[in-house]
Amino acid sequence: MTAVDFRPARPTLADVARAAGVSCATASRVLNGYPRVRPETRRQVESAMAALGYERQRAARSATQKLSRSIAFVVCEEGLRLFSDPYFARIVVGVSREVTAAGLQLVLLTVPSTKDCQAPAMHFLGSGHVDGALFVSMHGRSPLDLDRIGVPVVVGGRPVFGEKEYEVSYVDADNHGGAARAVRHLIDSGRSAIATVAGPRDMAAGMDRLAGYRQVMADAERSDHGLVFFGDFGQASGEHATARLLDRRPDVDAIFTASDLMAVGVLRALRRAGRRVPDDVAVVGFDDLPIGRRTDPPLTTVRQPIEEMGARMTRDLLGLIVGGRTGRRGVVLDTELVLRASA
């Protein structure tokens, strides 16, 4: 395996943008000769390029019209999570299909939440090794500075940090609408004490699925903060949350779970407590992963088009790389309630 030198050996486009007081997108437009740049801004960027010695380095590459022919797939999680959660494998299938068709290489990076781990990866992305980057599983608690990378970016999921949304393109599933349909189904089935094991509070998917649950519960005048528990989308967190839920609210008769992996943990905890599914407690998941067809009983869930999300992200990124389109574009794909035996 060849070691990658992450030392800042030469100025990046992000350095130029920072010196000129503009965004990386604007600096890129100047470098590539796009006409829709104010003359004053163009002068600022060109002066910064000259001062940093960036123009000569990048102009040589532009003259030969060479690209790296690679794009990065960046997972903002620990490596163990990447290989244990089948969500990532399925989205990579969609990404790989488009990358292969375009004759490109896919570079996989994992970026844990610590800043010490983020800095080398961010420098790698901005140093000419890739032509663009796809980001998935972003957490708001440790936001990445996407504006400083210097290459086109598309994010999987609505890119948020607290109340702020990044000004980058993204592809998402209808998390709010999918959750709302699941909870309405539980209400229509006659369930009264409907709990949720929600996803992380620093991720858009977790927030949006919880918002869908809360909206339907409020509309039905059944809002109850004591029925809301949180997990991390992993199986163990679903099991732990359900154990606490049963201790606090033994009257629960339905659980909407924000991921299928957490739902597997929910089913295990219910079985251990002697609760029958769906007779005593109905369970609905979210994702429609293959594991949901093999649970006992098979899992009712909300299907999100994971592979299509990966493919659409890649097509949008290739459009940015080839066409130079700038500005934020959000795409939200439909979800579907899949009825099985658990609810």
Side-chain angles (χ1 to χ4, degrees):
M1 180 180 294
T2 302
V4 178
D5 185 359
F6 288 119
R7 291 174 297 176
R10 64 185 186 186
T12 66
L13 185 62
D15 298 324
V16 172
R18 187 164 54 253
V22 301
S23 69
C24 281
T26 298
S28 179
R29 288 196 294 272
V30 172
L31 180 64
N32 290 288
Y34 288 99
R36 295 185 187 179
V37 180
R38 291 186 302 172
E40 180 182 354
T41 301
R42 187 180 300 278
R43 285 193 296 271
Q44 288 175 255
V45 173
E46 290 174 346
S47 295
M49 287 178 177
L52 295 173
Y54 180 89
E55 183 176 15
R56 289 190 299 275
Q57 295 164 355
R58 303 302 272 183
R61 175 175 170 174
S62 178
T64 57
Q65 297 184 338
K66 288 184 179 179
L67 295 172
S68 72
R69 304 293 298 173
S70 299
I71 65 172
F73 181 76
V74 186
V75 181
C76 303
E77 299 281 1
E78 303 287 345
L80 180 62
R81 184 66 178 271
L82 168 65
F83 295 106
S84 63
D85 190 334
Y87 169 87
F88 297 113
R90 291 188 63 188
I91 200 165
V92 167
V93 168
V95 172
S96 298
R97 186 170 68 235
E98 298 298 325
V99 168
T100 300
L104 305 179
Q105 294 293 322
L106 187 63
V107 177
L108 174 63
L109 297 176
T110 58
V111 184
S113 59
T114 60
K115 289 185 178 180
D116 289 343
C117 294
Q118 291 178 4
M122 297 298 279
H123 180 76
F124 174 82
L125 293 172
S127 297
H129 300 293
V130 297
D131 300 319
L134 304 168
F135 281 79
V136 298
S137 203
M138 289 188 65
H139 292 259
R141 66 173 179 268
S142 185
L144 296 165
D145 193 352
L146 301 182
D147 294 332
R148 292 185 57 191
I149 296 175
V151 296
V153 167
V154 175
V155 175
R158 189 167 54 88
V160 298
F161 172 56
E163 298 298 321
K164 174 188 174 182
E165 293 201 21
Y166 290 103
E167 291 300 315
V168 296
S169 294
Y170 67 92
V171 177
D172 202 0
D174 183 9
N175 294 299
H176 186 285
R181 279 190 292 275
V183 178
R184 287 193 199 100
H185 169 71
L186 292 170
I187 291 175
D188 292 343
S189 300
R191 307 291 173 164
S192 56
I194 304 171
T196 184
V197 179
R201 283 171 277 195
D202 64 349
M203 297 184 72
M207 293 187 293
D208 291 347
R209 292 171 196 178
L210 177 59
Y213 162 86
R214 282 177 164 159
Q215 178 187 324
V216 175
M217 293 291 281
D219 291 345
E221 299 183 347
R222 297 189 187 185
S223 296
D224 186 337
H225 294 299
L227 291 171
V228 178
F229 290 78
F230 292 89
D232 63 2
F233 285 145
Q235 179 177 328
S237 70
E239 189 170 355
H240 180 62
T242 304
R244 291 185 291 121
L245 168 64
L246 293 174
D247 285 341
R248 181 184 298 181
R249 294 296 299 269
D251 61 321
V252 64
D253 63 359
I255 304 175
F256 166 63
T257 314
S259 79
D260 283 358
L261 281 185
M262 289 199 301
V264 172
V266 169
L267 292 172
R268 290 187 61 180
L270 291 172
R271 186 178 302 111
R272 189 170 58 247
R275 302 295 182 92
R276 298 169 300 166
V277 178
D279 303 63
D280 301 324
V281 183
V283 178
V284 179
F286 201 113
D287 285 328
D288 192 28
L289 298 176
I291 194 173
R293 305 183 192 102
R294 302 192 297 270
T295 55
D296 182 20
L299 183 66
T300 292
T301 187
V302 178
R303 175 183 296 149
Q304 61 170 332
I306 301 173
E307 292 181 19
E308 177 54 30
M309 287 173 63
R312 180 60 184 267
M313 288 171 61
T314 309
R315 290 196 297 269
D316 284 1
L317 181 63
L318 296 178
L320 289 172
I321 294 170
V322 175
R325 176 177 57 80
T326 60
R328 184 172 186 266
R329 180 185 183 190
V331 176
V332 179
L333 303 180
D334 290 337
T335 55
E336 175 189 356
L337 182 63
V338 179
L339 298 177
R340 298 195 182 102
S342 69

